[in-house]
Amino acid sequence: MKAGAGQSVQRLSVLGATGSIGQSTLDLVGRHPDRFEVVALTANGDVKGLAELAIRHRAKMAVVADPEGYQDLAKALSGTGIVVAAGGDALVEAASQPADCVVASIVGAAGLVPTLAAVRQGRRVALANKECLVAAGELFMREVSAADTELLPVDSEHSAAFQAIGASAARDIEAITLTASGGPFRNWDHERLKAAKPEQALRHPNWSMGAKITIDSATMMNKGLELIEALHLFPVTISQLDCVVHPQSIVHCLVSYRDGSVLAQMASPDMRTPIALALSWPERIDTPTKRLDLAELGQLTFERPDDRRFPAIRLAREAMAAGGAAPAVLNAANEVAVMAFLENRIGFLDIPAVVSDCLDAASSGALCRAVDHIDEILAVDLAARELARSMLEKRGVA
Ligand code: NDP
């Protein structure tokens, strides 16, 4: 990744380029044209968006996951010299292209296989796709070690923990506390939550993100998923992981040490800061993130999450404690329930209820077994989606 004048040119691929994280990444690329060279970009079905990004950033390859998008993409990119492909194998091919860093920003468990392909290249993976680690944490981390891949967290809380831990020894860390904004419904009572609509849940107070993670923030499942993610990324046990609601989203994580010190990382809520760190570490690069003015902010506040109104964190903790395939069941059930909510087929409070029903049903069967291979995780993921759909049917949802 070396280039002249003491600066590196980094060959970069972005899986999920058309999404919120993908576009923030490419915004940074556009601000540092001498530093980055784009290799492969992927999307699911947004052919127009992908073609525009591929042309603007002079990508070498553009891949759309949905095979039906192939003809349109090929047409949009004809004459550009950009290699075009479509389908699941093509995603893996894009992830496997020679690159110095792959940004894994596909949403959901759909990102697992292509992200693993990037991991197996043994280069740097900037990981936004937390569902990978939730569904397949142990197996995923085993592959990271085997390939000697640098795995850099993009999630702001984990980027913060990564920075606050630095070179500290595991034995010195007492606890990691992730912060949560509390989402748009932080102060809503049970009756209002019951009637909450997708358009209300999609109005996040601090962050501009894709639809799925925005709903996860509203249910607080996002924090549950992040606790599981942290368990796999950092040298801590479940009991050392905690979270606290911090509505201003300025402090992203706190790491407590055995001597009573607490190190926190702060920044305005803008994903370009943690993305930039994952791309440039151990260096840092300029970002347009609004600079913090603590006096202007005046107050930073913290409160305990309310488990009664937001049971998702408890569900995630239960799945994390159960281990094996339980987190994969939690993740798959949540993805199905979130989609049903976004399509107005279930209510807001049905999301954790469906996840809970699935975890209960799975715990008494073979679904929550120990897993030793990625194919087994993929099978559990499929079966858990089926289970979640049957739970929706039981609730009378078409
Ligand atoms: P978006 O929904 O904005 O973007 C998702 C991206 O993945 C799009 O490029 C989409 O393509 C693509 N995609 C969707 N489904 C598939 C599929 N089945 N196969 C291949 N590609 C697919 O999501 P975000 O950018 O918000 O989030 C991405 C990941 O990053 C998530 O795991 C999220 O939890 C995590 N994250 C996001 C943060 C944020 O601020 N947004 C913060 C921290 C973590 P298309 O556009 O064609 O649909």
Side-chain angles (χ1 to χ4, degrees), residues 218-237:
T219 60
M220 296 200 72
M221 180 58 88
N222 186 44
K223 218 42 56 182
L225 301 179
E226 287 179 4
L227 288 171
I228 302 174
E229 186 184 7
L231 182 72
H232 296 294
L233 285 174
F234 304 116
V236 288
T237 58

Side-chain angles (χ1 to χ4, degrees), residues 15-22 42-47 64-65 91 104-108 110-111 128-131 154-157 207-213 216 222 226 271:
L15 312 178
T18 47
S20 163
I21 293 288
T42 80
N44 188 28
D46 181 3
V47 168
V64 68
L91 274 189
S105 54
I106 290 174
V107 62
N129 178 232
K130 66 191 81 183
E131 294 91 346
V154 164
D155 231 334
S156 55
E157 297 78 357
W207 297 97
S208 162
M209 313 182 281
K212 194 260 177 183
I213 185 176
D216 284 346
N222 186 44
E226 287 179 4
M271 284 309 293

Side-chain angles (χ1 to χ4, degrees), residues 253-388:
C253 181
L254 307 101
V255 179
S256 311
Y257 288 92
R258 63 196 292 180
D259 62 358
S261 295
V262 178
L263 299 191
Q265 185 262 0
M266 295 194 278
S268 299
D270 185 327
M271 284 309 293
R272 288 174 296 187
T273 291
I275 295 169
L277 188 84
L279 300 182
S280 66
W281 183 84
E283 296 173 20
R284 289 183 187 258
I285 55 174
D286 294 342
T287 78
T289 297
K290 182 176 188 285
R291 278 14 183 187
L292 272 188
D293 181 338
L294 290 176
E296 183 192 316
L297 274 165
Q299 272 195 331
L300 298 179
T301 60
F302 301 88
E303 62 203 42
R304 300 230 167 276
D306 179 348
D307 180 56
R308 226 174 11 88
R309 286 181 301 134
F310 300 101
I313 296 176
R314 175 178 50 76
L315 295 173
R317 275 195 177 281
E318 285 169 8
M320 182 159 55
V329 172
L330 170 98
N331 181 66
N334 183 57
E335 285 191 30
V336 171
V338 167
M339 189 51 73
F341 173 68
L342 282 169
E343 290 166 355
N344 259 313
R345 291 171 15 233
I346 59 172
F348 181 74
L349 292 179
D350 293 325
I351 302 174
V354 167
V355 174
S356 176
D357 288 351
C358 286
L359 282 174
D360 285 348
S363 66
S364 55
L367 256 189
C368 279
R369 62 181 185 268
V371 278
D372 204 37
H373 197 274
I374 290 295
D375 288 344
E376 293 176 74
I377 289 287
L378 296 176
V380 167
D381 178 71
L382 275 183
R385 280 166 204 271
E386 249 339 286
L387 180 64

